[in-house]
Amino acid sequence: MSQDRQMAQETDVQPEKDPLAAAREKKGAPEDIEESPLCPRSSPLGYREKHTGHKGSASLVWGATPGMLFRKNRDRSFHPLDLSWVFGYNSSLAVHSLMDGDDRVLLYVSSHIVVIHDTLRNRQFHLQGHTNVISCLCVSEDKRWVATADRGPDALIMVWDSYSGVPVCTIFETHSEDGICAIAISQDAKYLVTISAAAVQEVCVWRWTLSAEKAICSTELKPEFGYQDYVIFNPQNSHEFVSNSKTQVIFYLWDDSGLQYGTPFLSNQTFKCLVGQFSQSIFHFNNTQALTGTSAGKLVVWDMDNPRTVPEELPAKPHGITATKVVSMQKESLTVLQLLESCIVTGDVEGQVKFYDGQLRLLTIYSHDKVGPIRSISFSTILRDPPSAPPGSSQPFLTRNFILSTSDATMFHVATDSTNFEKIMEEAKKAVNAIACHPQEPLVAVGSHCGLLKVWEYKKTKYLVSRIFTEAGIQCLSYDPEGHFLAAGFTDGSVYILDAISLQSICKEFQFSQGLVTHISFSHDSKYLATADENYSVTVYKRVLEKGSRCWEHLAGLDSHYKPIRSILFGVHSDSKEPRLLSLGEDRQLVEYDLKSSIKDHLVVTHRDRLEQDAVPLCLTWYPQLSTESFFLTANNYYKMKLYNTTTKMCRKTLLGPVYGSPLEKIQILPRTSSADPQQHYLVYITKDKVGLQMLPVDGNPHRSSAFICHPDGSSDFAISHDGRYIFTAGGKERTFIKWKVNLPKQKSQMPDTKFKSMEKLLAPSPVLIPLNKRTIQ
């Protein structure tokens, strides 16, 4: 028995034969529900709550109101790591304005997380549930329901309540191993349409408010239609939608019996003009036409042979649709096409927003020279009072402010009454691989391949200073132990040493590496700086006094390895307190250098030791002094951790390390906090896509470690705050980095009686926070 039929029998409501027929008959349809203050008529979940008795996730949104999710108390947590803040966002997806005015709230995607950001009060709320990078999202007309989908293994479709932050529907069987590339929600917020990202694309229609175990209808598209990556419903008819690729527009009609589509033909020869590639499509508000924007700055006008009406039964095939004309709007490519009330809105690669009437006559233009190619436009739901003006004066006709997002990762708030462009956010345009924490202050520096270097005060989440390098991208960063300098390694092999506060160069940049600088680190006394590059070379720089001021000079370099270098590590000689430098490569060699004996252009090697016979060592760190013997710790690609004596380099212990889908990529000891248990130490690590904590001493017990998904497309680096309270992970090509709050048990006298009795229980592998998903992090 199907879920819909069983639901109907339990509630004495007959199963719906056809959504449109049921809406006409007015028998038990959702529109007939008596409206209550707690269940507004606009809520698609009202029918499920009142008539099915289903109180699952919907009961949590029954009395939800806009903005209430920021009032939730999130201070108390039972997880060793909590997501605290997400920096950066996916600029290839749209940014939506949820609230405007006194509470300017935005919704956007960062990696696998949906971020609801109150920009005026500097607050974030995170919707977590996807284990893959989110590939598409859409928002309902009233801004309440948010639908997201991802790509990758076990791809999900999720519908969220933006008022409460609760996931109200999760669709597991998406019928595509490759995930979803486009999604749209109908005007009445009852239906979803998705397009798969597979080579042979599948279009599915879902009714998420009743049962989303399987699609209502679906069809496969021919590969010659091109990669369909945009879809939108007809706002006047939920049984009709349109999608387009760069070369083909497809119109669809559907009902419970099936999905039909038509593919009108258009080429440059049709109207003897250059059409260009298609960008986005919309239905005209006159309900007889549709429009498609192109890269040639034109609008294609599609006409229906018969006006669209709500039919009792769908015709045998979609109405005939033909391109009647191609209207040249401008020279610049059109990137965004939207409807706003009785206006047609366009955005282009020059950052211009133009408004037209139904006859495509220009009404007004909003532009600014600092706005890049527009990726999305989102209008506020709040109507401003129209300005009072004397007769004959020109006043803006638009009564809604809007949010612009650009493809170069910048957001603007546009106040239409003053045409004021306010920059809200400017983030990295390319991969974020470099991150470092100040050794004494709550500062974190982040660099990207676009050359943007930014410094944040992470306790207040406040942006402080930035610098843009146009010559090359930033690959690695490191503060010196005193906090005076910030060293940066670049993709072209150059090394900059900057003032830690102003980010101005202390001396001229160095260019002694022939390839990308992969690692950079200072010695404990700030006298030496070492780098490693992709050509397997280690280079050392030395601080000197010149005319009474400190500066740096190149000391020597050496091709130390014949495979990629995985770690460079400074330490201290136990007998002389002089700096000690080690490098570890995938060639299984641990190389130690004699800095004191090294002279200009000659880097002296004291030892070369082969650490592994078969496995490949991946990372290296100094082990805490938990006994009389001193060790350094390594992790290899066989998921093994090894302790080596720091003097003899003999392996003293081999243990199983954390096993979370991929080997450990980088490791570091967590600094001690003043309130922490003095008997307990922790190791921080990242794998390919996770960040985790391991209790020390290492003993191979899998229950003494825990990991959380941080960057599904690959974590590139991490840094720890000087007080050990926060961990920062960089997402590489995801162009984001995340702040994690460390929640560890305090000293025994401060520990509560009922919470955190066992650290092993605290660090036990925890499930992903998906209320409707039983999968674990592993």
Side-chain angles (χ1 to χ4, degrees):
M1 181 182 292
S2 69
Q3 185 174 352
D4 289 348
R5 186 177 299 277
Q6 183 178 2
M7 221 177 266
Q9 290 180 357
E10 293 175 356
T11 58
D12 297 328
V13 178
Q14 295 299 320
E16 292 180 274
K17 298 179 181 179
D18 179 82
L20 295 173
R24 278 204 170 85
E25 293 172 3
K26 300 290 185 179
K27 293 181 180 179
E31 290 80 356
D32 274 343
I33 299 174
E34 181 181 354
E35 186 169 0
S36 71
L38 295 181
C39 184
R41 188 184 302 273
S42 60
S43 173
L45 295 177
Y47 177 72
R48 183 168 72 179
E49 281 284 339
K50 184 172 183 178
H51 289 271
T52 68
H54 180 85
K55 299 295 182 181
S57 59
S59 62
L60 301 178
V61 304
W62 186 266
T65 56
M68 68 171 291
L69 76 172
F70 290 112
R71 297 193 290 268
K72 292 184 177 182
N73 184 10
R74 295 182 295 164
D75 293 337
R76 200 171 189 180
S77 174
F78 300 99
H79 301 283
L81 291 178
D82 269 343
L83 176 61
S84 177
W85 198 273
V86 180
F87 301 82
Y89 72 102
N90 187 345
S91 58
S92 62
L93 299 181
V95 175
H96 294 275
S97 173
L98 296 185
M99 300 171 66
D100 196 24
D102 295 336
D103 298 289
R104 188 181 301 166
V105 179
L106 306 181
L107 181 142
Y108 52 85
V109 168
S110 295
S111 183
H112 63 300
I113 302 164
V114 181
V115 180
I116 299 179
H117 189 178
D118 184 346
T119 59
L120 296 182
R121 291 177 173 81
N122 201 29
R123 302 178 296 183
Q124 281 188 356
F125 188 88
H126 309 109
L127 306 182
Q128 301 179 72
H130 291 277
T131 57
N132 304 308
V133 173
I134 296 174
S135 56
C136 52
L137 83 158
C138 61
V139 176
S140 63
E141 181 69 18
D142 61 0
K143 306 295 181 72
R144 176 156 194 183
W145 312 107
V146 179
T148 57
D150 62 50
R151 295 184 190 175
D154 302 320
L156 294 177
I157 301 171
M158 301 188 72
V159 181
W160 312 80
D161 172 30
S162 68
Y163 290 0
S164 63
V166 172
V168 295
C169 178
T170 304
I171 303 174
F172 298 98
E173 300 296 332
T174 59
H175 306 291
S176 173
E177 296 179 357
D178 298 284
I180 306 299
C181 71
I183 191 170
I185 190 168
S186 61
Q187 182 83 0
D188 56 12
K190 295 178 184 176
Y191 304 104
L192 293 175
V193 58
T194 61
I195 302 179
S196 71
V200 178
Q201 292 184 286
E202 183 180 23
V203 181
C204 299
V205 178
W206 315 80
R207 183 167 185 180
W208 65 271
T209 56
L210 286 181
S211 173
E213 293 181 359
K214 62 179 181 179
I216 299 175
C217 55
S218 63
T219 189
E220 288 188 350
L221 300 178
K222 299 177 181 179
E224 53 262 33
F225 295 156
Y227 188 75
Q228 301 285 316
D229 57 2
Y230 183 80
V231 64
I232 189 171
F233 274 98
N234 185 345
Q236 302 180 54
N237 182 3
S238 297
H239 286 250
E240 182 177 7
F241 57 92
V242 61
S243 72
N244 67 261
S245 64
K246 295 186 182 304
T247 58
Q248 180 67 60
V249 178
I250 305 177
F251 292 86
Y252 306 81
L253 285 173
W254 70 273
D255 66 357
D256 291 340
S257 63
L259 175 63
Q260 303 159 21
Y261 62 86
T263 55
F265 175 77
L266 175 65
S267 69
N268 294 336
Q269 288 71 38
T270 305
F271 296 101
K272 295 184 175 9
C273 68
L274 177 64
V275 176
Q277 294 183 330
F278 299 138
S279 56
Q280 292 185 358
S281 301
I282 58 171
F283 287 93
H284 200 290
F285 49 77
N286 62 19
N287 206 31
T288 64
Q289 293 178 326
L291 304 172
T292 300
T294 76
S295 60
K298 296 178 172 61
L299 282 181
V300 179
V301 180
W302 310 94
D303 261 341
M304 318 335 186
D305 289 349
N306 299 309
R308 297 302 175 121
T309 58
V310 180
E312 286 289 344
E313 294 182 359
L314 293 176
K317 61 180 180 179
H319 295 290
I321 301 171
T322 57
T324 56
K325 57 183 174 181
V326 175
V327 182
S328 180
M329 310 298 291
Q330 58 187 49
K331 294 181 180 179
E332 298 84 5
S333 297
L334 297 177
T335 57
V336 176
L337 188 60
Q338 284 188 216
L339 280 184
L340 177 67
E341 299 167 352
S342 60
C343 296
I344 297 167
V345 187
T346 65
D348 60 36
V349 293
E350 296 295 326
Q352 302 177 99
V353 181
K354 298 182 180 180
F355 293 81
Y356 299 87
D357 65 9
Q359 303 299 318
L360 299 182
R361 292 175 295 201
L362 182 64
L363 298 175
T364 189
I365 301 176
Y366 291 87
S367 64
H368 195 282
D369 56 1
K370 293 186 179 180
V371 181
I374 295 177
R375 178 60 189 86
S376 69
I377 306 171
S378 181
F379 291 92
S380 168
T381 56
I382 300 176
L383 294 176
R384 294 183 296 99
D385 294 331
S388 57
S393 65
S394 60
Q395 289 288 347
F397 74 99
L398 188 61
T399 59
R400 298 178 190 265
N401 298 335
F402 57 92
I403 296 294
L404 288 181
S405 71
T406 66
S407 58
D408 56 5
T410 308
M411 298 182 198
F412 294 88
H413 179 267
V414 183
T416 55
D417 55 349
S418 62
T419 65
N420 178 40
F421 283 71
E422 177 188 352
K423 184 183 292 186
I424 300 175
M425 193 181 301
E426 183 177 13
E427 298 298 337
K429 307 172 183 63
K430 295 183 180 179
V432 175
N433 290 330
I435 190 166
C437 286
H438 195 279
Q440 299 173 10
E441 302 295 334
L443 305 177
V444 59
V446 181
S448 77
H449 276 192
C450 66
L452 176 64
L453 174 61
K454 298 182 73 172
V455 177
W456 295 80
E457 203 279 4
Y458 54 74
K459 287 188 176 179
K460 298 180 180 178
T461 322
K462 183 180 180 182
Y463 156 71
L464 296 180
V465 65
S466 65
R467 180 178 174 181
I468 296 179
F469 298 85
T470 58
E471 296 82 7
I474 304 171
Q475 178 65 26
C476 51
L477 291 169
S478 178
Y479 281 100
D480 78 301
E482 297 175 355
H484 299 317
F485 306 114
L486 175 63
F490 286 75
T491 55
D492 65 351
S494 60
V495 173
Y496 283 72
I497 301 178
L498 313 173
D499 179 83
I501 304 301
S502 66
L503 302 186
Q504 297 302 309
S505 299
I506 298 296
C507 55
K508 187 178 180 180
E509 69 275 10
F510 297 104
Q511 188 74 55
F512 291 93
S513 296
Q514 300 302 314
L516 178 146
V517 179
T518 57
H519 300 80
I520 192 165
S521 180
F522 283 93
S523 63
H524 75 285
D525 55 5
S526 301
K527 290 183 179 180
Y528 294 95
L529 171 69
T531 66
D533 60 44
E534 63 180 358
N535 291 331
Y536 323 141
S537 298
V538 172
T539 306
V540 178
Y541 303 88
K542 187 176 182 180
R543 192 179 69 183
V544 295
L545 286 177
E546 185 175 307
K547 297 180 181 179
S549 61
R550 293 180 296 182
C551 63
W552 296 81
E553 68 176 12
H554 173 258
L555 178 62
L558 182 67
D559 294 337
S560 308
H561 300 266
Y562 60 89
K563 285 188 178 181
I565 297 174
R566 299 294 306 199
S567 296
I568 56 171
L569 185 66
F570 272 105
V572 183
H573 285 285
S574 58
D575 52 351
S576 65
K577 304 301 180 182
E578 287 293 322
R580 183 180 184 184
L581 178 61
L582 306 173
S583 66
L584 177 68
E586 291 184 7
D587 54 5
R588 304 179 179 89
Q589 296 290 322
L590 178 70
V591 181
E592 183 169 359
Y593 307 87
D594 187 348
L595 297 177
K596 189 174 182 179
S597 302
S598 298
I599 59 175
K600 183 68 174 179
D601 297 329
H602 180 64
L603 186 59
V604 178
V605 174
T606 58
H607 296 96
R608 286 183 180 271
D609 298 279
R610 185 181 178 96
L611 298 187
E612 301 278 1
Q613 298 302 315
D614 189 25
V616 176
L618 300 178
C619 46
L620 170 73
T621 192
W622 299 108
Y623 197 68
Q625 191 76 36
L626 302 181
S627 63
T628 56
E629 191 174 4
S630 298
F631 302 101
F632 58 82
L633 177 70
T634 68
N636 63 33
N637 65 335
Y638 285 1
Y639 297 92
K640 296 295 192 299
M641 303 177 76
K642 293 188 175 184
L643 288 173
Y644 292 86
N645 184 282
T646 57
T647 303
T648 65
K649 311 291 176 43
M650 295 292 294
C651 180
R652 302 286 285 141
K653 186 179 289 187
T654 300
L655 301 154
L656 178 67
V659 181
Y660 292 105
S662 62
L664 306 189
E665 297 285 337
K666 295 186 178 182
I667 56 177
Q668 190 175 336
I669 302 299
L670 183 72
R672 301 285 303 279
T673 62
S674 58
S675 61
D677 184 352
Q679 304 300 320
Q680 191 62 67
H681 298 262
Y682 302 90
L683 177 76
V684 182
Y685 60 86
I686 57 172
T687 66
K688 180 180 179 182
D689 60 348
K690 299 177 182 69
V691 59
L693 288 175
Q694 166 80 51
M695 294 179 67
L696 299 180
V698 292
D699 59 2
N701 185 348
H703 298 293
R704 289 167 60 88
S705 66
S706 180
F708 296 82
I709 295 175
C710 57
H711 302 283
D713 264 0
S715 53
S716 57
D717 198 3
F718 77 96
I720 307 174
S721 65
H722 66 92
D723 57 5
R725 297 183 183 275
Y726 299 98
I727 299 171
F728 299 85
T729 58
K733 62 181 180 180
E734 293 176 3
R735 296 166 288 174
T736 63
F737 73 101
I738 298 176
K739 180 176 78 170
W740 301 84
K741 184 180 179 182
V742 179
N743 299 311
L744 295 176
K746 300 179 181 180
Q747 296 182 26
K748 294 181 179 180
S749 61
Q750 302 177 11
M751 291 178 64
D753 295 334
T754 58
K755 305 299 180 184
F756 304 137
K757 289 185 176 180
S758 170
M759 190 58 207
E760 294 186 9
K761 181 178 180 181
L762 174 64
L763 284 180
S766 304
V768 180
L769 300 179
I770 309 176
L772 301 181
N773 188 351
K774 297 180 180 178
R775 294 176 300 167
T776 63
I777 284 177
Q778 299 178 12

